[in-house]
Amino acid sequence: MDADVGPATERRRSTDRRLRSLLRRGLAFRLGVTAVGVGLVVVFVGLVVLLVGGASASIARFGPGFLAGTAWDVPRGIFGAWPAVAGTLITSALALLLAVPVAFGVALFASEIAPRWLRAPLAYFVDLGAAVPSVVYGFWALVVLVPFLYGSVDPSLERLSGGAAPFASGSGETNVLAAGVVLAVMIIPTIAAISREALRAVPHELREGALGIGATRWEATRMAVLGPAAPGLVGAVVLGLGRAIGETIAVAFVIGNIYQVQGSLLARGSTIPSWLVNGFNESYGLGRSSLYELAAILLVISVVVNLGARVLVRRFERGARLRPRGARAPIAAPPPREPGTPLGTPAWFARHDAARSARLRRRHGVQLLVVVLAVGAVAVAAWPLVSLIDTAAVNGGAAIVRPSFYTSAPPPSCGIGQTSCPLGGIGPEIEGTLVMVGLAAAVALPLGILGGIYLSEYARRRFSRTVGLLVDVLLGVPTILIGIFVFSVFLAYDRPDDQSAFAGAAALGVLMMPIVVRATELALRSVPTSVREGALALGFPRHRVTLRVVLGSCRSALVTGCLLAVMRAAGETAALVLTAGTSLYWITDLRAPVGALAPFIYDALMVYTNSNYETDAWGAALVLLLMMAVVSLAARLAVRAPDAQGSV
Amino acid sequence: MPTKLEVRELSAWYGDRQALYDVSIDLTDRATTAIIGPSGCGKTTFLRCLNRLHEEAPGARVAGAIRLDGEDLGAADVVSVRCRVGMVFQKPNPFPNMSVFENVAAGLRLLGVRRREELDQGVAEALVHAGLWEEVEHQLDAPGSSLSGGQQQRLCIARALAVRPEVLLMDEPCSALDPIATAKVEALLARLKSEYAVVVVTHNLAQARRISDTTAFFYLGKVVEVGPTARLFGSPAEKLTENYVNGRFG
Ligand SMILES: Nc1ncnc2c1ncn2[C@@H]1O[C@H](COP(=O)(O)OP(=O)(O)O)[C@@H](O)[C@H]1O
Ligand SMILES: [Mg+2]
């Protein structure tokens, strides 16, 4: 008998040991994901603390009057925020005004009107437009859009308004109007992409319900689609607004960077982000503190827009449109009818019935008009993207087919007009981008995925709602602020002049985190509960179910989210201008300034103004464009591919 | 009773896939025609051809002729066709962002009705007609989607009736409903058939027997047999029909 008990006890003991170790690992996992959730809060609090801390001298000196002040006088030490705040609000409003109709037209066409074979390519180009780095848009705007506006649009506006207030004669090519138009060009794809998805998400039965009672296609869209899609459409617009408010580089290229409030859109000006990126590196003392205060104001604006959006979207989700227009008098019950008596046609119905064919012509006319307008919107939205790709190909095409372009450094300084510049390359910039994005991804992707797991699988309480809200807010924080935040952290803990590859990577990591967290959360939430319950019922521990089964069954969505985050980092400029510094040389020390693809374009135009790097900059732009084109395509294909079933 | 809809050699495709083969049927006015058959045999496709909703599907194509009161549907204006031939879908689909009132008023507004009294009268009559008035009289401003499933389906019927169609198409209108709601819709159908040409697709053979005057049995995209309901169920002419109505396959 002893011989029988022995192995059984042994088996039970080993099962106990395994269980305990599993529990330990489950607990460790749980602590780990919670720590990431806490980390996100720490990042946001750190952002607030450092910006406000940096601004303290300025706040003490100017008080609330800072907001109304109109000067930025470094020698006399007088600083005020109003020109930049006004510039931000005006350019964003202008961008929204121009972009929303076009973007909605594009979304409508892509979702409701376009023939089916055209829908996928169209969606791809919209995605691509949203993925093009802002520095590339800015570069294109400076070379193509701004001269076009200056040559054809500005004079007509001046003539039409008779030189009156909003269009009084300006001082040159760069102006507030150009900034507004560039912003519009940039946010059209963003708004269109999300709006298209919102429209697509409306169940097809609703459209058919409307068609079934004799609606034209546009009427069906208006009656059955726009209402349910409204929260998504509002969200799209607010996201576009957020992007316009925070956009830095493209605005800095075209707005003229003069600190003044003028009555004319044709005058030069500045916005908060453009003023920050222009002045931050050279600023000191009270001037820098005032820049911190500007940054804090920008943070407040972006948070307010973000939270306002949440409230607005909720309102629309609850169906704000259901409230009747005005109080309704109760309807008298109609007289009882004998069964079998037809509805009959009251005089008013007969009247409308008689006018049916005339009215039908008008309704078909409206339908046609909507189609024409939507096609027009697509044409308007396509022009910048086509022109941009064309310009980049023409100017940078020769560079990118030359092997040495990838292996050599930019040529030594070579004056404008000099004809025999040595051919250089952007090898160090590619290296810098790879190193910084690689470092950032190595940290931010795993942490971001853990954060997403925390939000979707573990957190159930108020704290998790706070974290979710903060992720939303962080997603909307302008990247220039992330640059300033990381710069300040490194300033506090390192040598004062320490712009470095590490700092750049840190900024990119902070930028990627919320994107990956949100993508992971959404991907995990899309996995049906039955999958989890199935695995849990088999007795697998929670963390293994999450890691293997749940993550496994949404792998492609996860990969897509990570790819998009990496692309955003690869195209980022504003945050790197402050944190990575500028360099034209190969990396020798990760603690020294480093060049990268996107910032190189900015530097070529704004820093090395005596050199002739334009061709190389176009080459860099084209490389970035090609990267975005390939990755957008990969992301699109990954979403289509069915997920392999995860195994425990 | 005269023939309301005349269907001649109707074939329908989704891309390369043919779903209907040379279907010819006469649909009688002021009577209910039931369409029965195993799932995937083309019932829905047939119904959707009758108000030209089929052409909204990707790659959709039709051949053959459908005549409404002798007038070729293919040549008529598609919007007025759908007005004259109303459709109720398998899953209730009231417009979720509209109130009960607005759901029913939607079709009237399309016809250009704007005046308050006219809309009120039209909506009330349609709701009474659909047997829903007593239940929603005091919640006309509630969202259409807040009603119960059966009420939503009757709301969709009221929505279709409001524009005074001549033909009413229903695609398995009770398949998403519980027995009590089903009984209400069936009672409603019994009343409606005295005023419209009603075509009902149903999976439920007992229901087809209860509510229809004529029954058509579809199989693999073809009409196997059409006839008075009692005759078709009692003494089917075709072996296939007999097997189906006796539950030997389906
Ligand atoms: N949108 C569609 N695209 C392609 N094939 C379809 C589509 N809808 C239905 N079909 C096919 O057409 C045939 C008939 O379908 P349907 O009319 O829905 O059948 P039923 O309503 O009798 O179940 C089926 O084989 C089905 O697979
Ligand atoms: Mg069907």
Side-chain angles (χ1 to χ4, degrees):
Chain A
M1 278 186 95
D2 272 25
D4 277 353
V5 171
T9 318
E10 190 49 42
R11 215 166 28 243
R12 197 160 347 115
R13 278 207 194 112
S14 103
T15 312
D16 279 358
R17 258 203 310 281
R18 280 199 52 203
L19 260 180
R20 266 200 302 278
S21 106
L22 268 179
L23 281 176
R24 258 202 313 280
R25 266 186 280 160
L27 191 67
F29 182 71
R30 192 185 175 125
L31 283 177
V33 294
T34 311
V36 176
V38 175
L40 284 166
V41 178
V42 171
V43 167
F44 184 75
V45 171
L47 178 68
V48 173
V49 166
L50 283 177
L51 291 190
V52 175
S56 56
S58 172
I59 295 172
R61 171 78 180 75
F62 302 111
F66 181 72
L67 204 58
T70 56
W72 202 273
D73 192 337
V74 177
R76 287 169 50 214
I78 301 174
F79 304 104
W82 187 241
V85 172
T88 304
L89 298 181
I90 291 170
T91 51
S92 307
L94 188 61
L96 217 52
L97 211 64
L98 296 173
V100 168
V102 178
F104 280 180
V106 172
L108 187 72
F109 184 80
S111 159
E112 311 290 318
I113 297 173
R116 261 153 241 271
W117 57 267
L118 191 57
R119 291 186 186 178
L122 205 62
Y124 170 70
F125 277 103
V126 172
D127 281 359
L128 180 60
V132 170
S134 58
V135 68
V136 177
Y137 271 121
F139 196 7
W140 166 79
L142 199 56
V143 174
V144 178
L145 183 66
V146 163
F148 166 74
L149 289 176
Y150 185 62
S152 337
V153 178
D154 295 3
S156 349
L157 285 177
E158 248 180 273
R159 221 175 317 112
L160 280 176
S161 68
F167 301 114
S169 181
S171 42
E173 287 196 330
T174 54
N175 56 39
V176 174
L177 178 72
V181 175
V182 176
L183 286 176
V185 164
M186 296 176 62
I187 65 177
I188 283 171
T190 309
I191 300 177
I194 300 169
S195 307
R196 188 192 73 88
E197 269 160 34
L199 294 178
R200 280 286 73 187
V202 176
H204 202 65
E205 299 94 73
L206 293 180
R207 293 179 179 82
E208 299 203 321
L211 292 175
I213 53 169
T216 63
R217 284 194 171 208
W218 160 243
E219 287 162 347
T221 305
R222 187 165 52 72
M223 287 192 325
V225 178
L226 293 187
L233 298 180
V234 171
V237 170
V238 176
L239 201 84
L241 175 62
R243 189 158 179 209
I245 288 172
E247 175 50 36
T248 306
I249 300 296
V251 173
F253 280 169
V254 302
I255 200 168
N257 302 312
I258 299 282
Y259 208 73
Q260 59 185 9
V261 187
Q262 284 202 342
S264 173
L265 291 178
L266 301 183
R268 288 189 272 174
S270 50
T271 64
I272 300 180
S274 70
W275 196 243
L276 288 173
V277 75
N278 266 308
F280 201 86
N281 277 339
E282 291 82 38
S283 64
Y284 55 88
L286 187 60
R288 174 162 285 183
S289 181
S290 294
L291 285 178
Y292 271 110
E293 194 170 354
L294 268 188
I297 292 172
L298 182 61
L299 182 66
V300 170
I301 294 177
S302 75
V303 171
V304 165
V305 166
N306 209 302
L307 297 185
R310 283 170 86 94
V311 174
L312 211 60
V313 169
R314 289 269 162 74
R315 275 272 288 284
F316 273 90
E317 273 171 354
R318 266 193 257 112
R321 294 194 42 218
L322 272 175
R323 268 178 283 119
R325 289 163 234 150
R328 173 204 307 291
I331 306 174
R337 310 169 51 256
E338 285 300 311
T341 43
L343 260 183
T345 37
W348 58 266
F349 191 87
R351 187 159 43 78
H352 289 295
D353 213 26
R356 194 178 278 209
S357 66
R359 188 173 161 76
L360 215 51
R361 266 200 305 284
R362 213 168 59 241
R363 289 166 62 194
H364 284 306
V366 171
Q367 163 72 24
L368 189 66
L369 182 68
V370 169
V371 172
V372 168
L373 287 177
V375 171
V378 172
V380 169
W383 174 67
L385 194 58
V386 171
S387 164
L388 186 154
I389 293 172
D390 175 59
T391 314
V394 167
N395 292 306
I400 68 158
V401 296
R402 182 162 50 81
S404 66
F405 185 64
Y406 305 95
T407 55
S408 53
S413 182
C414 177
I416 291 168
Q418 233 168 288
T419 43
S420 58
C421 289
L423 286 176
I426 52 167
E429 284 70 28
I430 293 176
E431 181 195 39
T433 292
L434 288 181
V435 165
M436 284 190 290
V437 174
L439 281 174
V443 178
L445 295 188
L447 287 185
I449 290 175
L450 286 181
I453 292 176
Y454 170 71
L455 283 185
S456 142
E457 307 289 311
Y458 283 86
R460 296 276 176 278
R461 275 167 245 278
R462 190 173 312 155
F463 179 65
S464 81
R465 276 213 294 282
T466 312
V467 174
L469 184 78
L470 282 187
V471 169
D472 255 11
V473 170
L474 280 175
L475 276 171
V477 167
T479 56
I480 181 85
L481 297 187
I482 292 176
I484 292 178
F485 164 61
V486 170
F487 175 84
S488 313
V489 172
F490 275 72
L491 199 65
Y493 291 102
D494 237 331
R495 295 199 311 278
D497 57 350
D498 211 348
Q499 291 179 322
S500 67
F502 277 134
L508 295 184
V510 173
L511 186 109
M512 288 164 77
M513 268 284 273
I515 303 177
V516 179
V517 169
R518 183 42 45 89
T520 307
E521 187 196 350
L522 290 180
L524 290 176
R525 279 192 199 283
S526 73
V527 176
T529 329
S530 59
V531 171
R532 291 180 184 83
E533 284 170 352
L536 285 171
L538 290 177
F540 291 110
R542 182 89 178 273
H543 69 281
R544 262 179 92 175
V545 171
T546 303
L547 279 179
R548 298 280 191 75
V549 183
V550 180
L551 277 186
S553 56
C554 63
R555 211 177 296 154
S556 67
L558 212 58
V559 170
T560 306
C562 292
L563 274 180
L564 293 181
V566 168
M567 280 305 99
R568 281 280 284 285
E572 175 57 26
T573 310
L576 289 184
V577 167
L578 298 188
T579 53
T582 53
S583 160
L584 293 173
Y585 308 107
W586 297 93
I587 297 176
T588 51
D589 181 359
L590 289 177
R591 298 169 49 91
V594 60
L597 279 175
F600 173 71
I601 300 171
Y602 176 79
D603 293 341
L605 297 177
M606 306 294 271
V607 179
Y608 309 119
T609 41
N610 291 324
S611 306
N612 197 353
Y613 289 141
E614 210 177 300
T615 308
D616 296 320
W618 274 120
L622 197 53
V623 169
L624 282 172
L625 271 179
L626 289 174
M627 263 165 51
M628 302 306 159
V630 170
V631 171
S632 301
L633 190 63
R636 202 143 261 288
L637 294 180
V639 171
R640 281 235 201 103
D643 276 296
Q645 204 55 49
S647 59
V648 179
Chain B
M1 278 293 164
T3 296
K4 187 72 188 177
L5 272 170
E6 225 180 301
V7 182
R8 289 293 172 270
E9 317 219 306
L10 179 71
S11 296
W13 290 263
Y14 295 96
D16 291 334
R17 179 190 192 118
Q18 186 162 1
L20 289 179
Y21 297 84
D22 297 324
V23 172
S24 296
I25 296 187
D26 287 339
L27 298 164
T28 319
D29 203 3
R30 286 154 212 274
T32 300
T33 308
I35 312 282
I36 59 170
S39 85
C41 69
K43 305 182 295 293
T44 298
T45 308
F46 174 69
L47 210 62
R48 290 167 59 92
C49 285
L50 298 184
N51 75 344
R52 294 183 55 188
L53 259 185
H54 176 65
E55 56 199 59
E56 301 293 331
R61 198 155 57 82
V62 287
I66 304 172
R67 282 184 283 274
L68 176 60
D69 287 336
E71 181 193 340
D72 182 18
L73 277 195
D77 182 273
V78 65
V79 168
S80 39
V81 166
R82 291 180 190 152
C83 223
R84 294 174 66 188
V85 184
M87 178 102 162
V88 175
F89 298 82
Q90 189 165 358
K91 214 174 111 209
N93 58 353
F95 303 130
N97 58 315
M98 289 188 194
S99 63
V100 170
F101 181 90
E102 287 300 330
N103 259 287
V104 182
L108 293 173
R109 289 190 190 279
L110 289 179
L111 289 177
V113 182
R114 289 279 172 276
R115 299 252 296 274
R116 190 85 247 175
E117 322 82 79
E118 297 173 358
L119 283 172
D120 284 356
Q121 191 191 350
V123 169
E125 279 185 359
L127 284 171
V128 169
H129 210 44
L132 193 58
W133 174 258
E134 276 89 30
E135 289 163 61
V136 299
E137 193 178 359
H138 300 295
Q139 39 178 328
L140 290 174
D141 289 326
S145 48
S146 69
L147 302 181
S148 74
Q151 289 175 328
Q152 286 190 22
Q153 194 60 300
R154 279 177 287 146
L155 180 63
C156 292
I157 295 174
R159 183 174 71 182
L161 293 179
V163 293
R164 288 167 169 72
E166 299 158 45
V167 181
L168 204 53
L169 310 176
M170 305 203 177
D171 189 2
E172 307 200 25
C174 302
S175 67
L177 307 185
D178 61 64
I180 294 174
T182 300
K184 283 192 178 169
V185 171
E186 282 187 15
L188 171 60
L189 282 178
R191 275 189 284 126
L192 292 179
K193 79 169 181 188
S194 55
E195 300 162 38
Y196 307 90
V198 181
V199 186
V200 182
V201 167
T202 176
H203 227 87
N204 182 337
L205 297 180
Q207 184 178 55
R209 283 177 106 140
R210 280 197 298 273
I211 61 174
S212 70
D213 306 297
T214 309
T215 298
F217 170 53
F218 276 55
Y219 186 67
L220 296 179
K222 297 190 176 95
V223 184
V224 175
E225 189 171 350
V226 194
T229 300
R231 210 267 300 142
L232 191 125
F233 280 93
S235 52
E238 302 282 334
K239 191 75 196 149
L240 206 54
T241 315
E242 188 186 332
N243 285 342
Y244 184 74
V245 299
N246 290 321
R248 288 192 204 114
F249 75 99

